[in-house]
Amino acid sequence: MSNKPHDQDRDTIDFGFEQVPKQEKVNRVADVFHSVADKYDVMNDLMSFGIHRIWKKLTIEHCSVRKGQKILDLAGGTGDLTAKFSELVGDDGLVILADINDSMLKVGRDKLRDKGLIKNIEYVQANAEALPFPDNYFDCITISFGLRNVTDKDKALRSMWRVLKPGGRLIVLEFSKPQYSLLNKAYDLYSFHVLPFMGKVVANDSDSYRYLAESIRMHPDQNTLKQMMTDAGFGDVKYYNMTGGIVALHLGFKF
């Protein structure tokens, strides 16, 4: 698992276990999510045995969202968090579902509109490294299972800090490093053998799910990401391991 936070110092970047030119990663990640968008929700349930719903519920609780607030659900994909935020902020609030991938954004928009959620939600195709929003705009930003796919994570974290209001919070929900050796071994077996097979059977795409497994291993571990958030300007940064550290929730504030 990667412990190198300074992606901006390198000419190449990881795409799973492969090193590619930085400008190439964006397009290759886009191809992955164009491929999996239609089956994304189904595969999430299968891959996590439904546990991702508990992880997201805990994420919502740590956001402490109130009526009238502005929320950015970054890399929000098919809108699971956006749907709940929409209820919490009420008619006077605003939730922006942002994703760099137009296929994922379309799936999310259609899903939320089918649920009748249209009043306080906007959709923006955006790169996390250069968010197209004013300074000090959002009360809370979440990025759920998206940061590991960002090319320059340090730049993205600084961009998130810029658009947060003073007193606002960033919540990062992401796969991380399991804390127990036996769990780590079982997780590797599952990720590199079972997961690509499920991707082939359900989504007819084993390669994309092999990349997703590799991208998890290349993502910074808990303490490295905590330091990256601190370096980007966030204060009182802490993290909570879930499911033995398979997933970690990082929380930081803008003071």
PDB file of all heavy atoms in Angstrom, residues 72 74-75 98-99 124-135 138 141 155-164:
ATOM      1  N   LEU A  72     -21.488  19.179  -0.416  1.00  0.00           N
ATOM      2  CA  LEU A  72     -20.903  18.668  -1.650  1.00  0.00           C
ATOM      3  C   LEU A  72     -20.632  17.180  -1.487  1.00  0.00           C
ATOM      4  O   LEU A  72     -19.836  16.773  -0.628  1.00  0.00           O
ATOM      5  CB  LEU A  72     -19.599  19.399  -1.962  1.00  0.00           C
ATOM      6  CG  LEU A  72     -18.797  18.866  -3.171  1.00  0.00           C
ATOM      7  CD1 LEU A  72     -19.616  18.973  -4.462  1.00  0.00           C
ATOM      8  CD2 LEU A  72     -17.470  19.604  -3.310  1.00  0.00           C
ATOM      9  N   LEU A  74     -18.859  14.672  -3.261  1.00  0.00           N
ATOM     10  CA  LEU A  74     -17.851  14.625  -4.312  1.00  0.00           C
ATOM     11  C   LEU A  74     -17.549  13.180  -4.684  1.00  0.00           C
ATOM     12  O   LEU A  74     -17.464  12.317  -3.808  1.00  0.00           O
ATOM     13  CB  LEU A  74     -16.587  15.336  -3.811  1.00  0.00           C
ATOM     14  CG  LEU A  74     -15.432  15.517  -4.773  1.00  0.00           C
ATOM     15  CD1 LEU A  74     -15.849  16.275  -6.025  1.00  0.00           C
ATOM     16  CD2 LEU A  74     -14.287  16.255  -4.079  1.00  0.00           C
ATOM     17  N   ALA A  75     -17.365  12.952  -5.983  1.00  0.00           N
ATOM     18  CA  ALA A  75     -17.245  11.582  -6.488  1.00  0.00           C
ATOM     19  C   ALA A  75     -18.462  10.787  -6.015  1.00  0.00           C
ATOM     20  O   ALA A  75     -18.358   9.621  -5.633  1.00  0.00           O
ATOM     21  CB  ALA A  75     -15.943  10.922  -6.040  1.00  0.00           C
ATOM     22  N   ALA A  98     -21.409  15.764  -7.320  1.00  0.00           N
ATOM     23  CA  ALA A  98     -20.365  16.024  -8.298  1.00  0.00           C
ATOM     24  C   ALA A  98     -19.581  14.753  -8.581  1.00  0.00           C
ATOM     25  O   ALA A  98     -19.280  13.981  -7.661  1.00  0.00           O
ATOM     26  CB  ALA A  98     -19.415  17.116  -7.790  1.00  0.00           C
ATOM     27  N   ASP A  99     -19.253  14.554  -9.837  1.00  0.00           N
ATOM     28  CA  ASP A  99     -18.447  13.398 -10.229  1.00  0.00           C
ATOM     29  C   ASP A  99     -17.717  13.772 -11.508  1.00  0.00           C
ATOM     30  O   ASP A  99     -18.251  14.505 -12.349  1.00  0.00           O
ATOM     31  CB  ASP A  99     -19.329  12.168 -10.448  1.00  0.00           C
ATOM     32  CG  ASP A  99     -18.552  10.868 -10.306  1.00  0.00           C
ATOM     33  OD1 ASP A  99     -17.693  10.599 -11.185  1.00  0.00           O
ATOM     34  OD2 ASP A  99     -18.787  10.132  -9.337  1.00  0.00           O
ATOM     35  N   VAL A 124     -23.102  18.345 -10.998  1.00  0.00           N
ATOM     36  CA  VAL A 124     -21.969  19.036 -11.600  1.00  0.00           C
ATOM     37  C   VAL A 124     -20.893  18.014 -11.960  1.00  0.00           C
ATOM     38  O   VAL A 124     -20.477  17.228 -11.101  1.00  0.00           O
ATOM     39  CB  VAL A 124     -21.375  20.088 -10.637  1.00  0.00           C
ATOM     40  CG1 VAL A 124     -20.122  20.729 -11.245  1.00  0.00           C
ATOM     41  CG2 VAL A 124     -22.415  21.154 -10.289  1.00  0.00           C
ATOM     42  N   GLN A 125     -20.465  18.032 -13.220  1.00  0.00           N
ATOM     43  CA  GLN A 125     -19.320  17.212 -13.597  1.00  0.00           C
ATOM     44  C   GLN A 125     -18.074  18.008 -13.251  1.00  0.00           C
ATOM     45  O   GLN A 125     -17.848  19.110 -13.772  1.00  0.00           O
ATOM     46  CB  GLN A 125     -19.353  16.882 -15.092  1.00  0.00           C
ATOM     47  CG  GLN A 125     -18.272  15.889 -15.494  1.00  0.00           C
ATOM     48  CD  GLN A 125     -18.412  15.422 -16.934  1.00  0.00           C
ATOM     49  OE1 GLN A 125     -19.344  15.811 -17.637  1.00  0.00           O
ATOM     50  NE2 GLN A 125     -17.484  14.597 -17.380  1.00  0.00           N
ATOM     51  N   ALA A 126     -17.254  17.467 -12.355  1.00  0.00           N
ATOM     52  CA  ALA A 126     -16.136  18.241 -11.826  1.00  0.00           C
ATOM     53  C   ALA A 126     -14.956  17.347 -11.480  1.00  0.00           C
ATOM     54  O   ALA A 126     -15.124  16.199 -11.062  1.00  0.00           O
ATOM     55  CB  ALA A 126     -16.576  19.005 -10.569  1.00  0.00           C
ATOM     56  N   ASN A 127     -13.772  17.904 -11.643  1.00  0.00           N
ATOM     57  CA  ASN A 127     -12.523  17.263 -11.245  1.00  0.00           C
ATOM     58  C   ASN A 127     -12.203  17.720  -9.834  1.00  0.00           C
ATOM     59  O   ASN A 127     -12.145  18.921  -9.552  1.00  0.00           O
ATOM     60  CB  ASN A 127     -11.415  17.673 -12.216  1.00  0.00           C
ATOM     61  CG  ASN A 127     -10.110  16.939 -11.966  1.00  0.00           C
ATOM     62  OD1 ASN A 127      -9.808  16.528 -10.849  1.00  0.00           O
ATOM     63  ND2 ASN A 127      -9.313  16.775 -13.008  1.00  0.00           N
ATOM     64  N   ALA A 128     -11.976  16.778  -8.928  1.00  0.00           N
ATOM     65  CA  ALA A 128     -11.712  17.106  -7.524  1.00  0.00           C
ATOM     66  C   ALA A 128     -10.481  17.991  -7.352  1.00  0.00           C
ATOM     67  O   ALA A 128     -10.364  18.715  -6.357  1.00  0.00           O
ATOM     68  CB  ALA A 128     -11.540  15.828  -6.712  1.00  0.00           C
ATOM     69  N   GLU A 129      -9.568  17.956  -8.321  1.00  0.00           N
ATOM     70  CA  GLU A 129      -8.344  18.735  -8.211  1.00  0.00           C
ATOM     71  C   GLU A 129      -8.561  20.222  -8.490  1.00  0.00           C
ATOM     72  O   GLU A 129      -7.709  21.054  -8.144  1.00  0.00           O
ATOM     73  CB  GLU A 129      -7.281  18.191  -9.169  1.00  0.00           C
ATOM     74  CG  GLU A 129      -6.859  16.764  -8.860  1.00  0.00           C
ATOM     75  CD  GLU A 129      -5.934  16.202  -9.918  1.00  0.00           C
ATOM     76  OE1 GLU A 129      -5.269  17.007 -10.612  1.00  0.00           O
ATOM     77  OE2 GLU A 129      -5.853  14.962 -10.060  1.00  0.00           O
ATOM     78  N   ALA A 130      -9.673  20.563  -9.110  1.00  0.00           N
ATOM     79  CA  ALA A 130      -9.952  21.964  -9.463  1.00  0.00           C
ATOM     80  C   ALA A 130     -11.460  22.194  -9.375  1.00  0.00           C
ATOM     81  O   ALA A 130     -12.145  22.333 -10.389  1.00  0.00           O
ATOM     82  CB  ALA A 130      -9.430  22.280 -10.864  1.00  0.00           C
ATOM     83  N   LEU A 131     -11.984  22.224  -8.168  1.00  0.00           N
ATOM     84  CA  LEU A 131     -13.430  22.295  -7.972  1.00  0.00           C
ATOM     85  C   LEU A 131     -13.973  23.648  -8.441  1.00  0.00           C
ATOM     86  O   LEU A 131     -13.447  24.701  -8.066  1.00  0.00           O
ATOM     87  CB  LEU A 131     -13.767  22.070  -6.498  1.00  0.00           C
ATOM     88  CG  LEU A 131     -13.470  20.653  -5.982  1.00  0.00           C
ATOM     89  CD1 LEU A 131     -13.594  20.593  -4.465  1.00  0.00           C
ATOM     90  CD2 LEU A 131     -14.408  19.637  -6.640  1.00  0.00           C
ATOM     91  N   PRO A 132     -15.036  23.634  -9.248  1.00  0.00           N
ATOM     92  CA  PRO A 132     -15.562  24.870  -9.843  1.00  0.00           C
ATOM     93  C   PRO A 132     -16.571  25.582  -8.941  1.00  0.00           C
ATOM     94  O   PRO A 132     -17.684  25.915  -9.365  1.00  0.00           O
ATOM     95  CB  PRO A 132     -16.228  24.352 -11.122  1.00  0.00           C
ATOM     96  CG  PRO A 132     -16.753  23.003 -10.726  1.00  0.00           C
ATOM     97  CD  PRO A 132     -15.722  22.429  -9.775  1.00  0.00           C
ATOM     98  N   PHE A 133     -16.184  25.832  -7.688  1.00  0.00           N
ATOM     99  CA  PHE A 133     -17.068  26.453  -6.706  1.00  0.00           C
ATOM    100  C   PHE A 133     -16.332  27.593  -6.010  1.00  0.00           C
ATOM    101  O   PHE A 133     -15.101  27.614  -5.956  1.00  0.00           O
ATOM    102  CB  PHE A 133     -17.538  25.418  -5.677  1.00  0.00           C
ATOM    103  CG  PHE A 133     -18.149  24.184  -6.275  1.00  0.00           C
ATOM    104  CD1 PHE A 133     -17.500  22.950  -6.202  1.00  0.00           C
ATOM    105  CD2 PHE A 133     -19.372  24.247  -6.931  1.00  0.00           C
ATOM    106  CE1 PHE A 133     -18.045  21.815  -6.765  1.00  0.00           C
ATOM    107  CE2 PHE A 133     -19.931  23.111  -7.507  1.00  0.00           C
ATOM    108  CZ  PHE A 133     -19.265  21.890  -7.425  1.00  0.00           C
ATOM    109  N   PRO A 134     -17.094  28.544  -5.453  1.00  0.00           N
ATOM    110  CA  PRO A 134     -16.452  29.677  -4.766  1.00  0.00           C
ATOM    111  C   PRO A 134     -15.733  29.239  -3.493  1.00  0.00           C
ATOM    112  O   PRO A 134     -16.008  28.175  -2.936  1.00  0.00           O
ATOM    113  CB  PRO A 134     -17.641  30.603  -4.427  1.00  0.00           C
ATOM    114  CG  PRO A 134     -18.793  30.122  -5.235  1.00  0.00           C
ATOM    115  CD  PRO A 134     -18.567  28.670  -5.479  1.00  0.00           C
ATOM    116  N   ASP A 135     -14.822  30.087  -3.026  1.00  0.00           N
ATOM    117  CA  ASP A 135     -14.182  29.867  -1.729  1.00  0.00           C
ATOM    118  C   ASP A 135     -15.233  29.869  -0.628  1.00  0.00           C
ATOM    119  O   ASP A 135     -16.251  30.579  -0.708  1.00  0.00           O
ATOM    120  CB  ASP A 135     -13.166  30.977  -1.436  1.00  0.00           C
ATOM    121  CG  ASP A 135     -11.997  30.983  -2.404  1.00  0.00           C
ATOM    122  OD1 ASP A 135     -11.914  30.082  -3.257  1.00  0.00           O
ATOM    123  OD2 ASP A 135     -11.155  31.902  -2.299  1.00  0.00           O
ATOM    124  N   PHE A 138     -19.153  25.555   1.086  1.00  0.00           N
ATOM    125  CA  PHE A 138     -19.876  24.390   1.597  1.00  0.00           C
ATOM    126  C   PHE A 138     -19.706  24.233   3.110  1.00  0.00           C
ATOM    127  O   PHE A 138     -18.641  24.511   3.666  1.00  0.00           O
ATOM    128  CB  PHE A 138     -19.396  23.107   0.915  1.00  0.00           C
ATOM    129  CG  PHE A 138     -19.716  23.042  -0.547  1.00  0.00           C
ATOM    130  CD1 PHE A 138     -18.736  23.301  -1.490  1.00  0.00           C
ATOM    131  CD2 PHE A 138     -20.989  22.730  -0.977  1.00  0.00           C
ATOM    132  CE1 PHE A 138     -19.026  23.241  -2.847  1.00  0.00           C
ATOM    133  CE2 PHE A 138     -21.296  22.672  -2.333  1.00  0.00           C
ATOM    134  CZ  PHE A 138     -20.311  22.929  -3.269  1.00  0.00           C
ATOM    135  N   ILE A 141     -18.207  18.535   3.070  1.00  0.00           N
ATOM    136  CA  ILE A 141     -17.844  17.826   1.840  1.00  0.00           C
ATOM    137  C   ILE A 141     -17.621  16.367   2.189  1.00  0.00           C
ATOM    138  O   ILE A 141     -16.931  16.053   3.168  1.00  0.00           O
ATOM    139  CB  ILE A 141     -16.570  18.394   1.197  1.00  0.00           C
ATOM    140  CG1 ILE A 141     -16.768  19.857   0.790  1.00  0.00           C
ATOM    141  CG2 ILE A 141     -16.166  17.560  -0.025  1.00  0.00           C
ATOM    142  CD1 ILE A 141     -15.496  20.517   0.273  1.00  0.00           C
ATOM    143  N   LYS A 155      -3.432  17.847  -4.263  1.00  0.00           N
ATOM    144  CA  LYS A 155      -4.082  18.983  -4.921  1.00  0.00           C
ATOM    145  C   LYS A 155      -5.590  18.955  -4.693  1.00  0.00           C
ATOM    146  O   LYS A 155      -6.225  19.992  -4.447  1.00  0.00           O
ATOM    147  CB  LYS A 155      -3.770  18.966  -6.421  1.00  0.00           C
ATOM    148  CG  LYS A 155      -4.242  20.198  -7.172  1.00  0.00           C
ATOM    149  CD  LYS A 155      -3.788  20.122  -8.628  1.00  0.00           C
ATOM    150  CE  LYS A 155      -4.245  21.361  -9.392  1.00  0.00           C
ATOM    151  NZ  LYS A 155      -3.810  21.288 -10.824  1.00  0.00           N
ATOM    152  N   ALA A 156      -6.179  17.761  -4.756  1.00  0.00           N
ATOM    153  CA  ALA A 156      -7.619  17.623  -4.527  1.00  0.00           C
ATOM    154  C   ALA A 156      -7.993  18.009  -3.102  1.00  0.00           C
ATOM    155  O   ALA A 156      -8.994  18.705  -2.875  1.00  0.00           O
ATOM    156  CB  ALA A 156      -8.063  16.193  -4.826  1.00  0.00           C
ATOM    157  N   LEU A 157      -7.204  17.585  -2.133  1.00  0.00           N
ATOM    158  CA  LEU A 157      -7.491  17.929  -0.735  1.00  0.00           C
ATOM    159  C   LEU A 157      -7.403  19.435  -0.512  1.00  0.00           C
ATOM    160  O   LEU A 157      -8.216  20.018   0.206  1.00  0.00           O
ATOM    161  CB  LEU A 157      -6.537  17.183   0.192  1.00  0.00           C
ATOM    162  CG  LEU A 157      -6.767  15.674   0.312  1.00  0.00           C
ATOM    163  CD1 LEU A 157      -5.595  15.003   1.016  1.00  0.00           C
ATOM    164  CD2 LEU A 157      -8.081  15.373   1.044  1.00  0.00           C
ATOM    165  N   ARG A 158      -6.430  20.090  -1.144  1.00  0.00           N
ATOM    166  CA  ARG A 158      -6.335  21.550  -1.025  1.00  0.00           C
ATOM    167  C   ARG A 158      -7.528  22.231  -1.679  1.00  0.00           C
ATOM    168  O   ARG A 158      -8.026  23.253  -1.188  1.00  0.00           O
ATOM    169  CB  ARG A 158      -5.033  22.049  -1.654  1.00  0.00           C
ATOM    170  CG  ARG A 158      -3.775  21.623  -0.908  1.00  0.00           C
ATOM    171  CD  ARG A 158      -2.560  22.411  -1.367  1.00  0.00           C
ATOM    172  NE  ARG A 158      -2.262  22.225  -2.782  1.00  0.00           N
ATOM    173  CZ  ARG A 158      -1.474  21.267  -3.264  1.00  0.00           C
ATOM    174  NH1 ARG A 158      -0.926  20.377  -2.433  1.00  0.00           N
ATOM    175  NH2 ARG A 158      -1.241  21.184  -4.559  1.00  0.00           N
ATOM    176  N   SER A 159      -8.005  21.671  -2.786  1.00  0.00           N
ATOM    177  CA  SER A 159      -9.184  22.216  -3.459  1.00  0.00           C
ATOM    178  C   SER A 159     -10.423  22.082  -2.581  1.00  0.00           C
ATOM    179  O   SER A 159     -11.249  23.007  -2.498  1.00  0.00           O
ATOM    180  CB  SER A 159      -9.386  21.498  -4.803  1.00  0.00           C
ATOM    181  OG  SER A 159     -10.455  22.053  -5.526  1.00  0.00           O
ATOM    182  N   MET A 160     -10.552  20.957  -1.907  1.00  0.00           N
ATOM    183  CA  MET A 160     -11.673  20.765  -0.984  1.00  0.00           C
ATOM    184  C   MET A 160     -11.592  21.744   0.181  1.00  0.00           C
ATOM    185  O   MET A 160     -12.620  22.315   0.594  1.00  0.00           O
ATOM    186  CB  MET A 160     -11.682  19.322  -0.468  1.00  0.00           C
ATOM    187  CG  MET A 160     -11.958  18.270  -1.526  1.00  0.00           C
ATOM    188  SD  MET A 160     -11.824  16.587  -0.829  1.00  0.00           S
ATOM    189  CE  MET A 160     -11.082  15.706  -2.197  1.00  0.00           C
ATOM    190  N   TRP A 161     -10.396  21.951   0.702  1.00  0.00           N
ATOM    191  CA  TRP A 161     -10.215  22.897   1.810  1.00  0.00           C
ATOM    192  C   TRP A 161     -10.655  24.298   1.376  1.00  0.00           C
ATOM    193  O   TRP A 161     -11.316  25.013   2.131  1.00  0.00           O
ATOM    194  CB  TRP A 161      -8.751  22.903   2.247  1.00  0.00           C
ATOM    195  CG  TRP A 161      -8.484  23.728   3.472  1.00  0.00           C
ATOM    196  CD1 TRP A 161      -8.507  23.316   4.780  1.00  0.00           C
ATOM    197  CD2 TRP A 161      -8.167  25.125   3.509  1.00  0.00           C
ATOM    198  NE1 TRP A 161      -8.231  24.367   5.624  1.00  0.00           N
ATOM    199  CE2 TRP A 161      -8.021  25.489   4.870  1.00  0.00           C
ATOM    200  CE3 TRP A 161      -8.001  26.104   2.523  1.00  0.00           C
ATOM    201  CZ2 TRP A 161      -7.707  26.790   5.263  1.00  0.00           C
ATOM    202  CZ3 TRP A 161      -7.685  27.402   2.910  1.00  0.00           C
ATOM    203  CH2 TRP A 161      -7.544  27.726   4.276  1.00  0.00           C
ATOM    204  N   ARG A 162     -10.302  24.688   0.162  1.00  0.00           N
ATOM    205  CA  ARG A 162     -10.631  26.035  -0.326  1.00  0.00           C
ATOM    206  C   ARG A 162     -12.138  26.288  -0.355  1.00  0.00           C
ATOM    207  O   ARG A 162     -12.601  27.368   0.032  1.00  0.00           O
ATOM    208  CB  ARG A 162     -10.047  26.227  -1.738  1.00  0.00           C
ATOM    209  CG  ARG A 162     -10.369  27.596  -2.356  1.00  0.00           C
ATOM    210  CD  ARG A 162      -9.876  27.701  -3.787  1.00  0.00           C
ATOM    211  NE  ARG A 162     -10.549  26.773  -4.686  1.00  0.00           N
ATOM    212  CZ  ARG A 162     -11.761  26.973  -5.196  1.00  0.00           C
ATOM    213  NH1 ARG A 162     -12.480  28.055  -4.875  1.00  0.00           N
ATOM    214  NH2 ARG A 162     -12.285  26.083  -6.015  1.00  0.00           N
ATOM    215  N   VAL A 163     -12.922  25.314  -0.803  1.00  0.00           N
ATOM    216  CA  VAL A 163     -14.352  25.557  -0.994  1.00  0.00           C
ATOM    217  C   VAL A 163     -15.173  25.297   0.268  1.00  0.00           C
ATOM    218  O   VAL A 163     -16.380  25.546   0.283  1.00  0.00           O
ATOM    219  CB  VAL A 163     -14.918  24.738  -2.182  1.00  0.00           C
ATOM    220  CG1 VAL A 163     -14.180  25.084  -3.464  1.00  0.00           C
ATOM    221  CG2 VAL A 163     -14.859  23.238  -1.918  1.00  0.00           C
ATOM    222  N   LEU A 164     -14.525  24.793   1.319  1.00  0.00           N
ATOM    223  CA  LEU A 164     -15.217  24.621   2.605  1.00  0.00           C
ATOM    224  C   LEU A 164     -15.313  25.948   3.341  1.00  0.00           C
ATOM    225  O   LEU A 164     -14.390  26.764   3.313  1.00  0.00           O
ATOM    226  CB  LEU A 164     -14.460  23.637   3.491  1.00  0.00           C
ATOM    227  CG  LEU A 164     -14.901  22.186   3.559  1.00  0.00           C
ATOM    228  CD1 LEU A 164     -14.029  21.447   4.567  1.00  0.00           C
ATOM    229  CD2 LEU A 164     -16.363  22.044   3.927  1.00  0.00           C
TER     230      LEU A 164
END
